[in-house]
Amino acid sequence: MDVATFSVYYGGNWVTSEDEEDAYIGGEVKIVECKPEEFYTKLGSELGEAFYGKKVSYNYPYEDSKERKLLCERDSSLKKMCDGARWVKFVNVYLVDSEGDEEIGAEPCEEELRVERNVANFIDEDDDEQFDYHNTPPNSDDEGREEDEVKEDGTSSKTDGGKTSVKLFVEYKTVKLLDGYCKILKSRVIAKLFLDDIRSDPDFKPRTIEENILKNWNLVATIDKCRKGKKIALEIIQKEHEEQFYRLRDYKAELLRSNPESTVELNTILDDDGSEIFHRFYVCFANLRKQWCTWCRPIFGLDGCFLKSTLKGQLLAAVGRDANNGMYPFAWAIVDVENEDNWTWFIQNIKKDCKNLQDGQGYTVISDRQKGLINAVDRELPKIEHRMCARHIYGNLKKLFPNSSEMKGLFWSVAESCILSEYEANLDRVKAYDIRLFEAIMQRNPANCSLAFCTPTASCIDVHNNISESFNNAIDPSRYYPMVEMLEIIRRRAMQRIEARKKKAEDHKGRFTKRATAFIAEEQTKLKFTKYVSGSSDGRCEVLDCGKSVSLHMGMRTCACRKWEMSGLPCRHALRIINKKKLNYEDYTSEWYSNAKQNHIYSSSIEPVNGLRFWKNSGSVIKPPPALVEEIQNTKGRKPKPKRKKARHESPTKKASRKKRIMHCGRCGEAGHNVTKCKNPVSEKNKSKKKTPIDDGLDSLTQTQTTQDQE
């Protein structure tokens, strides 16, 4: 038979001595004899839970310990080991817990693995060319209440990766155990299998865990075991959060060390016992700040989104626009709630970092209609142009008028009106269509979200905060993770975005960016509605648009429609003159959209940051907010049953006793009997009371006896 002997070392760790020799210290040894290809199945049945989740390496008897090789069931390493075992007939196998491996260069810690899995799925959001910003945006106020979309393999669509070990675990067990029961499928194993699901949804039910185990892996787990597994998972999650809160000050120090001149602010609150409790955390990397202030247009969006882990809070972000009108986040913060105080603190930090911002003169900000944010902007940036997001207004109107098919076009024609006369004409169209819709729009003050009332300083015709919503969507996976992991995922994805767009800018051959060129191409299709009339030597021209006269000034790059100066891109009227005089449209396009600007914006990125194991430990302890601990504790175990409300005569701490109690009749009021045995007439005190069925029966019996006596 093709059988090999495996000497399995488990329960210990690798240690490197001063002379750089590796030694396996501690643990036990088990001898396993089996066919090489059945090694994993045999070892799993022999060691049980002790085998699960371990890093496996091996070497042959004639090899040094440093020549050991990693072994994985799902890749070519298993085949290589089997081929060698058939010839040598003896293999040394070592099991090591990843967290306990002291070897330099070993696998990263679990936190870094989760970050790596998350950023590995990065896709540049700038590639989405089909996005319709007219549609209702994802409402940040409703986030966290949506149901998870479950894929056919049973994994949640919210979590990234994390299921590989589950499939490894099942493959070698479902073959042998046909009854569905598995000895090593214990509560702690179940906790690790569904850790990501419970992390993203603390209300993930034990019954759902039981059903998923049966559906996906054809294994049977009792409901009590699933309930215990969920409890263990919640304890692991709580420990993760607490440990990462403890490292926040270390994380701040590492960011400032690796990215000099950056701003990282950590605010805490002193508890009654003198301990520090987390309050808020602000990050603005020096290179991002410098690039935005120097090369991006003077416009940015402000928005907040919910954190979706057991840590209930908000992530605030300031997001600018690059030369291709893509998002460029340059500052973000974690706060407990989206209110005026936190928005004021966030904007104050941005003002300190971006010196040119000052009181907002010459800048534009776009946000939703959150009251605290509006007040904070008015106070800290009194001279800034504040545009309200039209998409949020449209989303609210759509809920009020769900069956109005023409409402979408009517509303956006009002929001995108560039001149006052056009704005008023479109409002009249809304009024003629439905007076109720007109009144609903006017209640929301459409002047705050219409281009007719905006200035051209930002060279942007956006009346929506789609850029901020895109950022919220881009960081969505990170919002399920503990604090430091979440911040690291956001940072690393920002680095990936910069690298990807830098390459695109370098590969782009045109003078202007892709979206700027597409905008001009769209305006070119409307030239058929225009006709050149006349021009003068000073650059003044006149064009007919659908029979209406429109004046332009080519030297000042202005048009009566205001679309040219608002966007910085030639409108169809300007393009008619350009085509007539055989000019180059690129000479009349704003340099804000040049590919050279795009190259400058992405020429510098965030500096690399060391992983958690390299951080200097400050020894300071920062506690998570009380709301976090309460949220986790409230989701542990079974839901407590409500206590029965006790009557006035009952003891609040122990069961009521009948001893030494004097019974009184509710009919006559005398002591020693109750209503059912009472033969006395109703007392004057109880005559006004509503009779019970028992009272009615007794009255009838008394009347019958009286009648019989009289007869």
Side-chain angles (χ1 to χ4, degrees):
M1 293 179 64
D2 193 12
V3 176
T5 301
F6 297 89
S7 181
V8 182
Y9 299 82
Y10 65 97
N13 290 299
W14 284 103
V15 177
T16 303
S17 61
E18 294 181 358
D19 55 358
E20 298 184 354
E21 290 293 330
D22 291 348
Y24 191 87
I25 304 299
E28 302 177 27
V29 182
K30 179 177 284 293
I31 304 300
V32 178
E33 294 184 353
C34 64
K35 293 182 179 181
E37 58 271 14
E38 296 177 355
F39 168 73
Y40 267 89
T41 304
K42 184 71 174 177
L43 191 59
S45 60
E46 292 283 342
L47 296 183
E49 187 178 353
F51 176 57
Y52 174 75
K54 298 296 186 293
K55 187 176 87 170
V56 184
S57 60
Y58 73 97
N59 64 358
Y60 300 114
Y62 56 83
E63 292 181 322
D64 186 77
S65 60
K66 284 192 174 183
E67 297 181 75
R68 65 187 185 276
K69 298 164 280 293
L70 288 177
L71 182 63
C72 182
E73 185 183 10
R74 294 182 66 92
D75 61 21
S76 59
S77 63
L78 178 61
K79 184 178 183 303
K80 292 179 180 179
M81 187 276 291
C82 292
D83 293 340
R86 291 189 186 97
W87 288 95
V88 180
K89 300 297 184 181
F90 191 89
V91 181
N92 294 318
V93 179
Y94 309 94
L95 305 184
V96 177
D97 192 339
S98 296
E99 295 181 359
D101 194 348
E102 299 296 332
E103 178 185 9
I104 299 299
E107 293 184 357
C109 60
E110 182 63 25
E111 292 85 350
E112 293 177 345
L113 285 173
R114 288 197 294 262
V115 173
E116 180 60 31
R117 287 199 300 266
N118 195 291
V119 298
N121 298 323
F122 170 79
I123 298 176
D124 188 6
E125 307 82 14
D126 217 18
D127 291 333
D128 187 5
E129 301 290 344
Q130 305 299 322
F131 184 77
D132 182 9
Y133 63 82
H134 284 172
N135 288 330
T136 306
N139 190 346
S140 300
D141 296 333
D142 295 334
E143 288 179 351
R145 292 197 289 266
E146 69 275 17
E147 296 182 359
D148 293 356
E149 179 184 356
V150 180
K151 302 178 182 178
E152 293 181 359
D153 62 356
T155 61
S156 171
S157 63
K158 284 186 176 180
T159 56
D160 295 334
K163 297 297 178 184
T164 305
S165 59
V166 178
K167 295 177 182 177
L168 279 174
F169 169 72
V170 174
E171 285 181 358
Y172 61 80
K173 278 297 172 186
T174 54
V175 175
K176 292 188 64 178
L177 302 178
L178 301 178
D179 58 357
Y181 287 93
C182 180
K183 291 182 179 180
I184 67 173
L185 189 61
K186 299 181 179 180
S187 300
R188 187 163 294 278
V189 176
I190 293 174
K192 292 182 179 179
L193 298 182
F194 291 90
L195 189 61
D196 284 343
D197 297 284
I198 297 172
R199 180 183 288 109
S200 61
D201 182 12
D203 296 326
F204 199 74
K205 299 183 181 300
R207 184 68 65 184
T208 306
I209 295 175
E210 180 186 19
E211 294 171 354
N212 285 346
I213 291 174
L214 180 61
K215 177 182 177 182
N216 299 330
W217 306 303
N218 199 26
L219 295 176
V220 176
T222 63
I223 188 65
D224 288 337
K225 192 177 291 186
C226 295
R227 189 177 291 113
K228 291 178 182 177
K230 178 183 176 181
K231 182 179 179 181
I232 294 172
L234 288 169
E235 291 172 352
I236 293 173
I237 293 170
Q238 180 178 359
K239 185 178 179 181
E240 288 176 352
H241 280 283
E242 291 176 350
E243 288 177 350
Q244 294 205 15
F245 273 101
Y246 297 161
R247 301 305 302 273
L248 267 177
R249 189 162 275 117
D250 304 338
Y251 179 58
K252 171 185 176 180
E254 173 59 25
L255 292 182
L256 294 176
R257 183 204 65 79
S258 57
N259 289 264
E261 300 182 5
S262 298
T263 302
V264 183
E265 185 171 333
L266 172 61
N267 284 6
T268 59
I269 299 174
L270 287 179
D271 201 359
D272 295 336
D273 58 359
S275 58
E276 290 185 283
I277 299 177
F278 173 81
H279 186 207
R280 48 198 182 189
F281 191 89
Y282 170 86
V283 180
C284 182
F285 289 99
N287 286 343
L288 299 187
R289 176 182 67 224
K290 181 180 178 181
Q291 299 303 95
W292 180 76
C293 293
T294 307
W295 303 108
C296 293
R297 283 170 287 168
I299 182 173
F300 61 97
L302 293 176
D303 196 20
C305 60
F306 284 99
L307 305 183
K308 297 183 177 181
S309 66
T310 50
L311 171 61
K312 302 304 178 184
Q314 292 266 341
L315 187 144
L316 311 182
V319 185
R321 286 160 168 73
D322 62 19
N324 195 41
N325 212 37
M327 68 179 181
Y328 190 83
F330 59 92
W332 50 84
I334 308 295
V335 297
D336 52 353
V337 67
E338 186 180 5
N339 58 17
E340 183 175 343
D341 178 60
N342 284 330
W343 273 119
T344 301
W345 169 79
F346 183 62
I347 295 174
Q348 286 174 347
N349 280 321
I350 294 176
K351 287 175 62 178
K352 293 177 184 176
D353 289 328
C354 305
K355 304 297 183 181
N356 295 336
L357 191 58
Q358 297 182 359
D359 58 2
Q361 181 71 37
Y363 283 81
T364 300
V365 64
I366 305 180
S367 72
D368 57 17
R369 305 174 75 88
Q370 208 274 337
K371 186 176 180 181
L373 173 55
I374 294 174
N375 294 339
V377 171
D378 290 343
R379 180 184 300 108
E380 298 298 326
L381 303 170
K383 295 185 179 180
I384 201 169
E385 179 187 53
H386 195 167
R387 301 182 188 179
M388 301 300 173
C389 180
R391 278 183 54 187
H392 284 80
I393 299 175
Y394 170 68
N396 293 329
L397 292 174
K398 192 174 180 180
K399 294 177 182 178
L400 296 175
F401 303 91
N403 300 320
S404 300
S405 58
E406 298 181 19
M407 183 191 69
K408 180 178 179 180
L410 291 170
F411 172 79
W412 283 105
S413 64
V414 173
E416 294 174 346
S417 301
C418 289
I419 57 177
L420 186 59
S421 59
E422 183 183 6
Y423 167 80
E424 293 174 347
N426 287 323
L427 275 180
D428 290 339
R429 288 175 55 206
V430 174
K431 189 174 183 180
Y433 172 74
D434 190 337
I435 187 63
R436 297 174 304 161
L437 176 60
F438 171 78
E439 292 174 351
I441 292 177
M442 296 307 295
Q443 286 178 355
R444 288 158 176 79
N445 193 7
N448 289 335
C449 66
S450 177
L451 287 174
F453 301 91
C454 296
T455 62
T457 54
S459 294
C460 180
I461 57 173
D462 290 344
V463 288
H464 54 80
N465 204 15
N466 174 48
I467 292 293
S468 293
E469 296 291 350
S470 296
F471 175 74
N472 294 341
N473 184 64
I475 65 170
D476 182 73
S478 68
R479 291 190 272 163
Y480 296 96
Y481 289 88
M483 176 71 74
V484 175
E485 287 180 53
M486 174 180 60
L487 292 168
E488 274 295 274
I489 292 170
I490 295 173
R491 179 191 65 82
R492 290 184 61 182
R493 285 205 165 194
M495 294 177 68
Q496 287 179 313
R497 185 181 302 109
I498 291 172
E499 185 177 0
R501 297 187 182 180
K502 177 182 179 181
K503 187 177 185 305
K504 289 179 184 178
E506 291 173 347
D507 294 341
H508 187 66
K509 302 302 181 184
R511 178 180 170 185
F512 291 94
T513 58
K514 185 177 180 180
R515 286 180 176 168
T517 305
F519 177 90
I520 295 173
E522 176 66 21
E523 288 295 302
Q524 287 274 12
T525 62
K526 302 174 184 178
L527 289 182
K528 58 185 177 181
F529 303 111
T530 63
K531 180 181 178 181
Y532 175 76
V533 177
S534 63
S536 60
S537 59
D538 61 353
R540 299 178 185 274
C541 302
E542 185 177 348
V543 173
L544 289 179
D545 185 354
C546 296
K548 299 178 181 178
S549 178
V550 180
S551 62
L552 302 87
H553 197 299
M554 300 299 291
M556 297 179 65
R557 300 183 182 182
T558 59
C559 179
C561 72
R562 292 187 77 236
K563 201 169 186 178
W564 191 1
E565 59 251 53
M566 288 297 299
S567 65
L569 302 170
C571 61
R572 59 180 178 269
H573 310 120
L575 290 174
R576 169 55 66 191
I577 304 297
I578 291 171
N579 287 354
K580 176 67 176 178
K581 297 187 176 183
K582 297 181 180 181
L583 303 173
N584 187 352
Y585 77 89
E586 293 182 345
D587 296 334
Y588 295 89
T589 303
S590 173
E591 287 298 318
W592 285 121
Y593 300 94
S594 69
N595 197 55
K597 286 270 188 184
Q598 189 78 343
N599 274 290
H600 282 302
I601 292 172
Y602 293 108
S603 62
S604 181
S605 181
I606 301 171
E607 299 297 333
V609 176
N610 286 330
L612 184 143
R613 70 173 67 186
F614 297 101
W615 299 351
K616 184 178 180 181
N617 196 331
S618 64
S620 64
V621 176
I622 298 176
K623 294 182 179 180
L628 168 61
V629 179
E630 293 173 3
E631 183 70 25
I632 296 177
Q633 291 177 347
N634 290 339
T635 55
K636 288 183 181 179
R638 298 182 181 180
K639 184 177 180 181
K641 294 182 179 180
K643 295 183 179 180
R644 179 178 66 86
K645 293 183 179 180
K646 297 182 178 181
R648 294 179 181 177
H649 63 274
E650 292 183 303
S651 169
T653 57
K654 55 186 178 179
K655 187 176 180 180
S657 174
R658 290 180 176 272
K659 292 182 179 181
K660 298 181 181 181
R661 285 181 56 195
I662 300 175
M663 183 181 296
H664 287 77
C665 177
R667 176 181 174 83
C668 64
E670 295 183 1
H673 66 277
N674 56 20
V675 174
T676 57
K677 296 181 180 180
C678 181
K679 297 181 180 180
N680 299 325
V682 181
S683 65
E684 294 294 332
K685 181 179 179 181
N686 294 332
K687 278 185 179 180
S688 60
K689 294 183 179 180
K690 185 177 180 180
K691 293 184 179 181
T692 64
I694 295 178
D695 293 333
D696 294 338
L698 290 174
D699 289 345
S700 300
L701 180 61
T702 303
Q703 291 176 1
T704 303
Q705 291 177 347
T706 304
T707 304
Q708 291 177 353
D709 293 340
Q710 291 176 354
E711 292 178 353

